[in-house]
């Protein structure tokens, strides 16, 4: 239940800078998801907010108070760990009550808080069990319950679902969403590498890459208006196709002559004089349409995957580039080995400046190091 | 015969005998007793495989039986006979023991040793393991503390004889007393407390053992539980005693009981330092006093020690097995 401000936050280990220029303004009641590839520093950032890692530059403010040097317990945060981190020698009840006992709360207060958390999480029948007698999902709920009893200003989740199996992951994800709904004022920060979790849970997603923030926005903003190639390819599955081309027509719409032949028209505006600029045209597989007219891309289908509702076409690779992927509605088993022309609605065609990997004509939100893809 | 040749012959005979035993016994099993042919082929193979583990274990079982089980029974039997071993006196030796003042002193002292030494060694080992964990020179400190483990009990006793020497120019204790203007004493002559001066030697030796085992156990504690406790607001003392120690309780018990069993076997320290004089006798040294003089009494003492060790031993094994799981 707090506002959280990160200003120019940095983290370095000795001379190695792993995070820099982190600027974030988190409002009360938001559920912020940090997402990014392995090693992008998302867990480190969360641990810095928790106070488990030192902040080596910039300031972290919770509710108007700079907490850089405040010990974790006094920051008003609670954290759920990936490995649950339950105390193995304590019963579920004692696990949840530990923080309150340390804080020397009265027995009535502790019982009330633990009882309430147990009811919310349906842990009543297990209160006197040891963690080893619980299933993975139940352990995760105890870890969440341990946070709830402390009534923190900010909840921190560090990949809480990655140790669960697929079915349980979906169920627990929904439980977390319901929990958030039951506590609309609580601020939550959630780290994951799973974009489905990010898309379904977040009020805003923070995409981290190469030690900085690649983009901040609501899930659909990131999907519809990615500000750079990294975000464009990270959000959405299969990844967005990036095809090289050269601008030939400018104005309220931009026309790109594709390097491999064909023409793409995008609703992104461009200015006179931009003709001849080398760009990447980005189209999501699901935005491609079969066409008989002038295509954006034309090639021979190498493999088809018919999933029933959609068919995924993998085109033959050209010059070692990643294969172009298209997702067509319905079943098209017969397209293998055939040439299929693809076009897309101009509103679904993204244009990226080739060198900087930033969206053409958009001001850079954050400079990021180029990501290999 | 040349000793080198004698040694080589022994090695060849020993190793050859082992190989020969395993080869021939398996051959006998597979070819003669349960041959893998004929109409009962599958039944024979199954039976041969059921018997085979016992073939391999037989030498060990035989040796353990001969050198461990038989002596236990033999000792008990001997303890029922008189000094010369020619007259059966039932539990007479035990009766004599429990009414003897010397035995009672030894038993009481041994009780003190069992209570103090394992507790002190384990506690110090645990504290040192925790304190040295994050130090840059922690490994050097650990090596120094572990070093007494490599010294024999007799050697350690000789070192401590210098510490306890009743001469301020040699003994550390008396040098300190001298510095404060106190008179020279002989620590070995201080009634009751001399027992504790002897215990210090064993604690000095065993702390290193406890430290090494507990240090490894402390490192095995998941770091997240400690971090969760930090976020829960626990201070370093609470983290140590309420989060870390309970998680390694099994290992602590194993270390504790292992040292307890050792305490019930050590006679060298008392024997070297005081020879059991000045009311410092403990059961093993008491037993040594009677050995070769009155084997009836000595075996009775040995049996008493075994009875005392047994429950600790069983607990130790149970805990160690639980740790392994």
């Amino acid at each position: 239940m707090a506002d959280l401000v990160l200003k120019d936050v940095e983290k370095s280990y000795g001379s190695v800078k792993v995070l820099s220029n982190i600027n974030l303004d988190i409002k009360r009641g938001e559920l912020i998801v940090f997402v990014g590839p392995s090693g992008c520093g998302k867990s480190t950032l969360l641990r810095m907010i928790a106070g488990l890692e030192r902040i080596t530059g910039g300031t972290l403010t919770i509710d108007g108070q700079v907490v850089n040097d405040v010990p974790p317990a006094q920051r008003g945060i609670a954290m759920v760990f990936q490995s649950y981190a339950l105390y193995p020698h304590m019963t579920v009840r004692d696990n949840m009550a530990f923080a309150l006992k340390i804080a020397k709360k009265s027995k009535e207060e502790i019982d009330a808080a633990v009882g309430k958390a147990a009811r919310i999480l349906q842990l009543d029948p297990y209160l006197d069990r040891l963690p080893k007698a619980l299933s993975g999902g139940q352990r995760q709920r105890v870890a969440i319950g341990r946070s709830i009893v402390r009534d923190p200003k900010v909840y921190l989740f560090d990949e809480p679902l990655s140790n669960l199996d697929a079915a349980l992951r979906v169920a627990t994800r929904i439980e977390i969403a319901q929990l958030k709904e039951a506590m609309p004022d609580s601020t939550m920060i959630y780290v994951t590498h799973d974009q489905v979790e990010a898309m379904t849970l977040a009020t805003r997603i923070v995409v981290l890459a190469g030690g900085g923030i690649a983009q901040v926005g609501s899930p659909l903003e990131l999907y519809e208006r990615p500000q750079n190639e990294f975000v464009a390819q990270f959000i959405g599955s299969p990844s967005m196709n990036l095809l090289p081309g050269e601008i030939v027509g400018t104005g309220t719409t931009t026309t790109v002559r594709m390097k491999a032949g064909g023409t793409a028209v995008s609703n992104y505006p461009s200015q006179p004089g931009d003709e001849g600029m080398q760009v990447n045209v980005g189209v999501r597989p699901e935005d491609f349409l079969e066409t008989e007219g002038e295509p954006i891309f034309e090639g021979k289908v190498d493999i088809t995957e018919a999933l029933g509702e959609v068919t995924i076409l993998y085109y033959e690779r050209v010059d070692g580039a990643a294969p172009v992927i298209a997702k067509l509605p319905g079943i098209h088993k017969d397209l293998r080995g055939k040439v299929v022309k693809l076009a897309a609605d101009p509103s679904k065609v993204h244009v990226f400046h080739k060198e900087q990997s930033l969206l053409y004509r958009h001001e850079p939100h954050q400079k990021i190091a180029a990501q290999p893809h | 015969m040349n000793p080198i040749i004698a040694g080589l012959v022994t090695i060849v005979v020993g190793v050859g005998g082992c190989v020969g035993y395993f080869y021939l016994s398996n051959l006998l099993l597979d070819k003669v007793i349960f041959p893998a042919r004929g109409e009962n082929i599958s039944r024979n193979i199954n039976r041969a495989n059921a018997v085979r583990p016992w073939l391999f274990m037989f030498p060990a079982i035989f040796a353990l039986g001969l050198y461990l089980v038989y002596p236990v029974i033999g000792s008990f039997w001997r303890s029922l006979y008189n000094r010369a071993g020619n007259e059966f006196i039932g539990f007479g030796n035990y009766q004599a023991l429990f009414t003897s003042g010397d035995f009672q002193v030894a038993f009481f002292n041994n009780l003190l040793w069992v209570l103090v030494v394992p507790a002190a060694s384990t506690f110090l080992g645990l504290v040192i393991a925790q304190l040295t964990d994050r130090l840059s020179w922690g490994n050097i400190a650990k090596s120094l503390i572990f070093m007494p483990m490599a010294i024999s009990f007799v050697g350690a006793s000789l070192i401590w004889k210098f510490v306890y020497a009743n001469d301020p120019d040699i003994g550390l204790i008396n040098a300190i007393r001298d510095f404060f203007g106190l008179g020279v004493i002989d620590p070995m002559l201080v009634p009751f407390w001399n027992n504790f001066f002897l215990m210090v030697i064993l604690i000095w030796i065993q702390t290193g053992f406890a430290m090494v085992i507990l240090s490894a156990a402390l490192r095995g504690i998941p770091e997240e539980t400690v971090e969760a406790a930090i976020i829960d607001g626990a201070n370093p003392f609470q983290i140590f005693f309420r989060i870390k120690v309970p998680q390694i309780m099994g290992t602590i018990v194993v270390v504790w009981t292992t040292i307890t069993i050792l305490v019930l076997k050590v006679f060298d320290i008392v024997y070297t330092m005081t020879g059991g004089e000045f009311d410092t006798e403990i059961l093993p040294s008491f037993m040594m006093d009677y050995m070769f003089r009155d084997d009836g009494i000595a075996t009775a003492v040995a049996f008493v020690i075994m009875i005392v060790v047994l429950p600790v031993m069983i607990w130790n094994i149970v805990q160690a097995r639980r740790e392994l799981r």
Side-chain angles (χ1 to χ4, degrees):
Chain A
M1 284 158 269
D3 296 333
L4 214 97
V5 181
L6 286 84
K7 192 160 184 338
D8 297 326
V9 168
E10 281 182 17
K11 177 72 190 176
S12 38
Y13 294 101
S15 59
V16 184
K17 208 172 249 187
V18 293
L19 283 169
S20 56
N21 277 322
I22 305 292
N23 286 292
L24 261 180
D25 208 337
I26 299 171
K27 293 272 175 290
R28 162 187 306 219
E30 277 195 296
L31 198 163
I32 299 289
V33 174
F34 292 170
V35 72
S38 305
C40 69
K42 54 192 189 297
S43 279
T44 306
L45 185 56
L46 191 79
R47 291 167 58 83
M48 285 159 76
I49 295 172
L52 295 171
E53 298 271 357
R54 268 187 55 76
I55 297 169
T56 51
T59 55
L60 167 65
T61 314
I62 298 178
D63 266 351
Q65 188 203 354
V66 175
V67 294
N68 280 33
D69 297 315
V70 175
Q74 281 144 44
R75 292 187 182 192
I77 49 104
M79 185 153 166
V80 176
F81 292 83
Q82 177 176 358
S83 59
Y84 322 131
L86 300 181
Y87 310 127
H89 54 290
M90 294 187 198
T91 61
V92 169
R93 185 193 307 279
D94 290 340
N95 259 289
M96 296 206 278
F98 184 70
L100 302 179
K101 280 184 187 161
I102 293 286
K104 300 225 159 49
K105 291 273 166 48
S106 73
K107 199 176 171 326
E108 292 76 38
E109 237 176 308
I110 294 175
D111 286 346
V114 171
K116 191 176 152 213
R119 265 195 310 283
I120 294 175
L121 297 163
Q122 290 142 31
L123 284 169
D124 284 309
Y126 312 111
L127 279 177
D128 292 314
R129 286 204 199 167
L130 287 175
K132 65 180 175 205
L134 299 178
S135 70
Q138 289 165 340
R139 285 180 206 185
Q140 190 57 72
R141 290 219 295 276
V142 176
I144 294 170
R146 204 164 59 177
S147 305
I148 293 177
V149 292
R150 297 187 50 207
D151 192 22
K153 294 181 195 167
V154 184
Y155 288 85
L156 306 176
F157 293 89
D158 189 3
E159 309 209 15
L161 307 185
S162 50
N163 280 5
L164 302 177
D165 63 49
L168 208 51
R169 200 174 296 171
V170 174
T172 313
R173 194 178 76 211
I174 291 167
E175 276 176 28
I176 290 177
Q178 286 167 339
L179 188 73
K180 177 72 188 73
E181 220 147 86
M183 301 185 293
D185 281 342
S186 58
T187 310
M188 294 186 178
I189 303 176
Y190 188 108
V191 165
T192 181
H193 58 260
D194 182 322
Q195 52 159 304
V196 178
E197 279 171 37
M199 298 294 280
T200 51
L201 288 171
T203 46
R204 279 194 299 161
I205 295 177
V206 177
V207 181
L208 290 162
I213 294 179
Q215 189 173 353
V216 182
S218 72
L220 289 183
E221 254 171 61
L222 296 191
Y223 179 81
E224 287 168 350
R225 282 282 177 270
Q227 285 180 344
N228 49 59
E229 288 181 2
F230 177 78
V231 175
Q233 291 212 301
F234 191 77
I235 304 288
S237 175
S239 290
M240 182 187 278
N241 298 293
L242 289 176
L243 306 163
E246 183 187 321
I247 294 182
V248 291
T250 58
T252 49
T253 61
T254 304
T255 310
V256 180
R257 159 89 39 216
M258 306 308 296
K259 211 173 157 193
T263 310
V265 178
S266 167
N267 272 356
Y268 285 95
S270 54
Q271 285 172 6
D274 283 345
E275 287 91 350
M277 188 181 271
Q278 298 297 312
V279 291
N280 272 339
V281 168
V283 184
R284 294 196 180 277
E286 54 271 35
D287 292 337
F288 271 133
L289 309 162
E290 239 185 304
T291 185
E292 292 304 320
E294 175 74 353
I296 296 176
F297 177 78
E298 182 176 353
K300 202 183 200 181
V301 177
D302 191 18
I303 297 171
T304 61
E305 286 178 343
L307 303 179
E309 53 172 333
V310 292
T311 303
I312 301 179
L313 311 182
Y314 295 86
Y315 282 80
E316 277 178 352
R317 288 162 175 270
V318 185
D319 303 336
V324 169
I325 301 172
K327 222 185 213 180
L328 300 180
I331 299 169
H332 308 276
K333 275 184 149 171
D334 50 343
L335 291 181
R336 190 164 178 185
K338 297 206 174 120
V339 172
V340 178
K341 293 179 173 184
L342 296 172
D345 187 284
S347 65
K348 303 280 175 70
V349 176
H350 310 264
V351 184
F352 298 95
H353 190 288
K354 212 168 180 183
E355 266 86 51
Q356 293 167 11
S357 162
L358 292 173
L359 181 62
Y360 178 59
R361 277 304 129 203
H362 273 237
E363 284 310 307
H365 178 82
Q366 285 286 333
K367 283 209 163 70
I368 59 157
Q371 286 291 312
H373 38 246
Chain B
M1 204 183 341
N2 187 323
I4 295 177
I5 295 172
L8 285 176
V9 169
T10 312
I11 291 172
V12 170
V13 169
V15 174
C18 282
V19 173
Y21 163 74
F22 288 121
Y23 180 75
L24 290 175
S25 61
N26 277 283
L27 201 70
L28 191 72
L29 184 72
D30 288 332
K31 300 289 175 205
V32 181
I33 302 174
F34 296 119
R37 60 186 128 75
E39 45 188 87
N40 292 328
I41 174 161
S42 73
R43 197 196 69 184
N44 278 357
I45 289 174
N46 282 337
R47 285 191 180 176
N49 284 339
V51 171
R52 200 178 321 279
W54 296 101
L55 282 185
F56 284 90
M57 286 195 296
F58 172 75
I61 291 174
F62 178 75
L64 286 173
L66 185 64
Y67 291 108
L68 280 175
V69 178
Y70 168 68
V72 169
I73 296 163
S75 297
F76 179 66
W77 193 244
R78 179 68 184 83
S79 73
L80 302 178
Y81 280 81
N82 70 350
R83 180 173 168 176
N86 53 12
E87 190 187 333
F88 185 82
I89 54 168
F91 286 92
N93 284 324
Y94 293 90
Q95 213 167 3
L97 272 187
F98 283 100
T99 51
S100 125
D102 284 349
F103 177 81
Q104 284 166 5
V105 168
F107 198 89
F108 173 74
N109 286 343
N110 221 150
L111 203 67
L112 279 181
W113 278 71
V114 165
L115 289 177
V116 173
V117 174
S121 305
T122 310
F123 178 76
L124 287 175
L126 182 62
V127 169
I128 292 166
Q130 170 70 16
L131 291 182
T132 53
D133 198 35
R134 294 278 160 86
L135 291 179
S136 55
W137 49 277
N139 282 337
I140 297 170
K142 277 186 190 166
S143 310
L144 288 173
I145 291 162
F146 186 73
M147 239 174 235
M149 275 290 284
I151 303 172
S152 75
F153 293 138
V154 175
S157 303
L158 290 175
I159 293 170
W160 281 82
K161 264 201 164 166
F162 287 110
V163 177
Y164 290 149
N166 59 355
D167 177 344
D169 291 331
I170 300 173
L172 182 68
I173 304 285
N174 279 310
I176 293 169
R177 282 180 66 91
D178 194 50
F179 180 80
F180 288 108
L182 296 164
V184 171
I185 56 154
D186 188 338
M188 289 303 106
L189 294 178
V190 183
F192 184 66
W193 297 107
N194 50 9
N195 281 302
F196 292 90
F197 295 133
L198 296 180
M199 290 178 210
V200 166
I201 302 170
L202 193 54
I203 294 168
W204 179 68
I205 295 172
Q206 287 301 311
T207 296
F209 164 74
M211 177 198 69
V212 168
I213 308 279
L214 295 174
S215 174
L218 281 173
R219 291 202 175 157
I221 293 176
E223 191 58 31
E224 289 85 8
T225 60
V226 175
E227 288 179 344
I230 291 173
I231 289 179
D232 276 347
N235 65 35
F237 276 97
Q238 289 165 328
I239 289 173
F240 183 63
F241 286 108
R242 295 178 67 172
I243 303 296
K244 285 188 166 181
V245 169
Q247 289 195 59
I248 59 165
M249 216 23 150
T251 312
I252 291 177
V253 168
V254 170
V255 169
W256 189 297
T257 50
T258 304
I259 298 177
T260 304
I261 291 164
L262 180 98
V263 168
L264 288 166
K265 291 193 298 194
V266 169
F267 92 100
D268 332 35
I269 293 172
V270 171
Y271 192 82
T272 315
M273 296 293 285
T274 64
E277 296 296 318
F278 325 123
D279 284 347
T280 58
E281 198 82 277
I282 57 175
L283 289 180
S285 62
F286 185 79
M287 177 181 77
M288 289 301 288
D289 284 349
Y290 280 93
M291 212 142 82
F292 312 120
R293 285 199 289 129
D294 185 341
D295 282 350
I297 297 267
T299 46
V301 177
F303 222 75
V304 170
I305 295 175
M306 202 196 87
I307 301 286
V308 174
V309 176
L310 211 57
V312 187
M313 195 97 127
I314 290 168
W315 196 27
N316 180 279
I317 291 169
V318 168
Q319 278 295 333
R321 281 197 174 169
R322 197 176 294 166
E323 279 298 285
L324 282 181
R325 243 181 273 140

